[in-house]
Amino acid sequence: MRRRAFAVALLGFFLMSCGVDNQAPSIPSQTWKAIEVSVETRPVVVSPGMNEFLVITTRKPKRPVFDLVVSMRMNESDPWKQAIQDGHVGVYRRSLMVTDPAAQTLFVHIKQKEEETVLRFPLKGRPLP
């Protein structure tokens, strides 16, 4: 019985490792006012056309920050588009048109009460380790 359980666990491990895509680009996180700001994309590899951007905001120890107004744009001359808050889990999402993922930067405007900033996330990320 122990061999069967071990074999099932080993098979599960191998199946999980097959699903990991180590070549997916990673956009490095940034920090503002002790808030870690991360960006994820859907699809994982940004391509020309509409892409969904998820801005994830956390404060140590991995507590969501949900009292923000987050807006995004792809170019400095584009109008800001407010992101939709996904509950009180610190996730803000918005779909934007991407024309050249290798050259474009995602601009993220964050406002908390009277303080605000703009963070820049180049879409050309680096591979995950």
Side-chain angles (χ1 to χ4, degrees):
M1 188 64 173
R2 292 180 93 193
R3 282 187 178 176
R4 177 178 273 160
F6 178 75
V8 169
L10 190 61
L11 179 63
F13 173 78
F14 285 126
L15 289 174
M16 285 182 5
S17 66
C18 290
V20 176
D21 182 7
N22 288 334
Q23 298 306 314
S26 172
I27 300 173
S29 299
Q30 298 182 32
T31 303
W32 176 66
K33 287 182 43 180
I35 299 171
E36 183 178 339
V37 181
S38 304
V39 173
E40 290 184 11
T41 61
R42 303 290 185 268
V44 174
V45 178
V46 179
S47 58
M50 293 300 285
N51 290 262
E52 183 178 31
F53 295 91
L54 286 77
V55 174
I56 303 156
T57 57
T58 55
R59 182 176 277 124
K60 289 186 180 181
K62 294 294 183 189
R63 296 173 44 106
V65 181
F66 51 84
D67 63 339
L68 306 172
V69 176
V70 176
S71 300
M72 299 179 228
R73 64 184 179 187
M74 293 304 306
N75 297 303
E76 288 189 76
S77 59
D78 289 346
W80 289 107
K81 299 188 187 263
Q82 187 171 335
I84 298 169
Q85 187 174 5
D86 197 358
H88 282 162
V89 294
V91 177
Y92 302 82
R93 49 179 75 228
R94 181 75 199 197
S95 290
L96 297 171
M97 177 63 74
V98 176
T99 55
D100 185 3
Q104 283 185 289
T105 296
L106 175 68
F107 294 85
V108 178
H109 179 265
I110 301 174
K111 184 172 183 180
Q112 185 179 45
K113 298 180 184 173
E114 298 302 316
E115 296 181 83
E116 57 188 287
T117 191
V118 175
L119 301 176
R120 291 159 180 80
F121 295 90
L123 296 184
K124 184 178 180 184
R126 54 182 158 74
L128 294 170

